[in-house]
């Protein structure tokens, strides 16, 4: 480690600069043509605005330190400005004003052009419905054939290079979907359905966040967004249409019985099983999700166990009640949930 002190300041700053423009939840790392056009507009504004700011600052500093020997020591009256100098000043001020108006006009037109392009409704490959809940996301992949509708939760899957219409609404309070890499924010309003068109073109796993304060656990209302290559997405969708498979393992079978007889099935649904609850997330493919509790924890056995036993400890005020299960019952339930791929 260097002992040269400026490096102690510069090194973290340089590291920050390198990492600040990339990441799964970063507007500066666009993964869709729409966000790329917003990004170009943003950087154009930063460069032009920054250049003007630096120029104006330099002129202001120069004016402040410039020595004016004829002004002052014995008199507070400014000396006469010559007619020539006055004319030059007028031209400079008029020129600067005209340049400002022109720059603002160019950006206004540029901004309108980008806005119009974003408002276009291109042909869509698929319609997805996202329903905001306190504090999780219900995600439905629509299909004209009702038997092919996929009901999922807390994870959004999208095909790269296709346009998807996402219809948004809420069951309780106003939430807001924001996938910084893919699109701007759009509110989810109770009793009203709005739409947003997403066209991600770079496969990857991104992170969306609820962007409207919606109560106690607003901060723990995230949504992993998985952008698959096109074929992989449709394979995933087809796989998601399959109902839960019957567990073969004895422990998992006991877990399933427990699930159906306990509180679990009152709130959660599993396709293909006698569980039709709609209060909590659908669990048909819960084992395939990356996270639990709406992006709060990685989907690992230990986290799932903690979550089932005392969700209030992880996400206070969440609707799910504690489930004080004994060791072997918990093991059985976990074994069953792990079969739900
Ligand atoms: Cu939902 Cu904030």
């Amino acid at each position: 480690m260097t002992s040269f002190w400026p490096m102690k300041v510069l090194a973290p700053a340089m590291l920050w600069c390198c990492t600040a423009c990339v990441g799964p939840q970063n507007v500066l790392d666009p993964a869709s043509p729409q966000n790329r056009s917003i990004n170009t507009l943003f950087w154009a504004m930063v460069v032009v605005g920054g250049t003007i700011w630096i120029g104006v600052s330099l002129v202001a500093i120069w004016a402040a330190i410039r020595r004016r020997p004829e002004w002052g020591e014995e008199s507070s009256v400014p000396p006469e400005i010559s007619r020539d100098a006055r004319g030059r000043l007028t031209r400079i001020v008029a020129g600067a004003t005209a340049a400002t108006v022109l720059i603002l006009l160019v950006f206004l037109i540029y901004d309108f052009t980008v806005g119009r392009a974003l408002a276009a409704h291109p042909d869509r490959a698929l319609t997805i419905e996202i329903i905001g809940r306190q504090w999780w996301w219900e995600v439905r992949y629509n299909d004209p054939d009702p038997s092919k509708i996929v009901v999922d939760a807390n994870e959004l899957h999208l095909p790269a290079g296709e346009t998807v219409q996402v219809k948004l609404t809420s069951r309780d309070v106003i939430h807001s979907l924001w996938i910084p890499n893919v699109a701007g924010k759009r509110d989810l309003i109770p009793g009203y359905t709005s739409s947003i068109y997403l066209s991600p073109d770079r496969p990857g796993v991104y992170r969306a966040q609820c962007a409207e304060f919606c109560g106690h656990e607003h901060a723990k209302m995230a949504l992993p967004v998985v952008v698959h290559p096109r074929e992989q997405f449709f394979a995933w969708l087809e796989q998601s249409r399959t109902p839960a498979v019957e567990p073969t393992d004895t422990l998992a079978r006991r877990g399933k019985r427990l699930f159906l007889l306990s509180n679990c099935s009152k709130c959660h649904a599993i396709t293909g099983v006698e569980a039709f609850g709609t209060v909590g997330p659908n669990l048909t493919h819960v084992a395939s999700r990356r996270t639990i509790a709406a992006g709060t924890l990685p989907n690992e056995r230990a986290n799932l166990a903690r979550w089932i036993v005392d969700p209030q400890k992880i996400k206070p005020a969440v609707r799910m009640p504690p489930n004080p299960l004994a060791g072997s019952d918990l093991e059985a339930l976990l074994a069953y949930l792990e079969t739900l791929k």
Side-chain angles (χ1 to χ4, degrees):
M1 196 64 194
T2 174
S3 57
F4 183 51
W5 73 265
M7 278 313 286
K8 287 186 180 154
V9 181
L10 279 177
M14 279 155 69
L15 184 69
W16 180 83
C17 283
C18 295
T19 54
C21 296
V22 288
Q25 189 179 331
N26 195 329
V27 273
L28 301 179
D29 187 11
S32 70
Q34 289 92 340
N35 263 27
R36 231 163 266 130
S37 63
I38 297 173
N39 230 41
T40 312
L41 173 64
F42 168 76
W43 284 116
M45 282 180 164
V46 168
V47 169
V48 174
T51 309
I52 293 170
W53 178 73
I54 291 171
V56 170
S57 302
L58 288 176
V59 171
I61 292 168
W62 171 75
I65 59 177
R66 194 168 70 122
R67 182 90 177 108
R68 287 184 180 160
E70 66 274 44
W71 175 305
E73 273 84 39
E74 53 285 328
S75 159
S76 62
V77 181
E80 269 305 306
I81 301 172
S82 73
R83 192 176 259 272
D84 266 11
R86 196 173 293 165
R88 202 169 61 234
L89 261 177
T90 309
R91 280 197 299 279
I92 290 174
V93 171
T97 308
T100 307
V101 170
L102 187 70
I103 290 168
L104 288 176
L105 195 69
V106 167
F107 274 120
L108 186 71
I109 294 167
Y110 188 3
D111 183 63
F112 272 136
T113 315
V114 171
R116 268 186 77 90
L118 291 178
H121 292 180
D123 288 343
R124 55 188 182 272
L126 181 74
T127 304
I128 298 173
E129 244 176 280
I130 298 185
I131 302 152
R133 315 281 285 255
Q134 279 177 317
W135 292 273
W136 59 281
W137 312 86
E138 186 177 328
V139 185
R140 303 168 70 96
Y141 299 80
N142 283 348
D143 197 283
D145 176 355
S147 69
K148 286 186 167 178
I149 294 174
V150 173
V151 183
D152 199 16
N154 292 336
E155 205 163 86
L156 176 62
H157 293 256
L158 298 169
E162 293 281 358
T163 297
V164 170
Q165 180 188 19
V166 181
K167 291 184 173 179
L168 303 162
T169 189
S170 168
R171 283 277 179 278
D172 36 49
V173 298
I174 300 176
H175 303 271
S176 185
L177 177 74
W178 188 28
I179 319 169
N181 302 64
V182 179
K185 288 194 289 185
R186 190 58 57 91
D187 282 359
L188 291 81
I189 301 164
Y192 175 81
T193 302
S194 56
S195 245
I196 189 168
Y197 289 78
L198 307 177
S199 314
D201 57 6
R202 186 155 54 91
V205 181
Y206 305 96
R207 186 180 188 275
Q209 170 68 44
C210 179
E212 176 74 40
F213 181 71
C214 54
H216 202 289
E217 292 305 326
H218 156 71
K220 287 181 179 168
M221 191 170 166
L223 179 71
V225 178
V226 187
V227 177
H228 301 268
R230 196 182 175 282
E231 276 69 37
Q232 257 179 41
F233 169 81
F234 287 102
W236 171 87
L237 191 62
E238 200 51 49
Q239 150 69 23
S240 300
R241 287 183 178 131
T242 56
V245 273
E246 190 60 28
T248 46
D249 175 78
T250 336
L251 190 65
R253 288 166 95 122
R254 190 159 83 81
K256 183 185 168 187
R257 270 199 308 281
L258 243 161
F259 185 94
L260 294 174
L261 295 172
S262 70
N263 283 334
C264 307
S265 59
K266 292 187 185 120
C267 296
H268 296 281
I270 297 176
T271 312
V273 173
E274 294 280 297
F276 308 107
T278 55
V279 178
N282 185 300
L283 299 179
T284 311
H285 300 287
V286 67
S288 302
R289 286 180 205 147
R290 283 159 176 75
T291 64
I292 53 169
T296 306
L297 290 172
N299 189 3
E300 290 161 5
R301 182 170 246 254
N303 288 338
L304 199 54
R306 279 171 58 211
W307 176 255
I308 292 168
V309 174
D310 194 1
Q312 303 293 325
K313 210 169 184 174
I314 295 164
K315 206 165 162 175
V318 71
R319 297 276 152 91
M320 180 158 153
N323 298 280
L325 291 172
S328 66
D329 284 353
L330 184 61
E331 287 295 314
L333 189 58
L334 288 169
Y336 175 54
L337 293 176
E338 280 168 359
T339 67
L340 301 174
K341 293 226 160 77

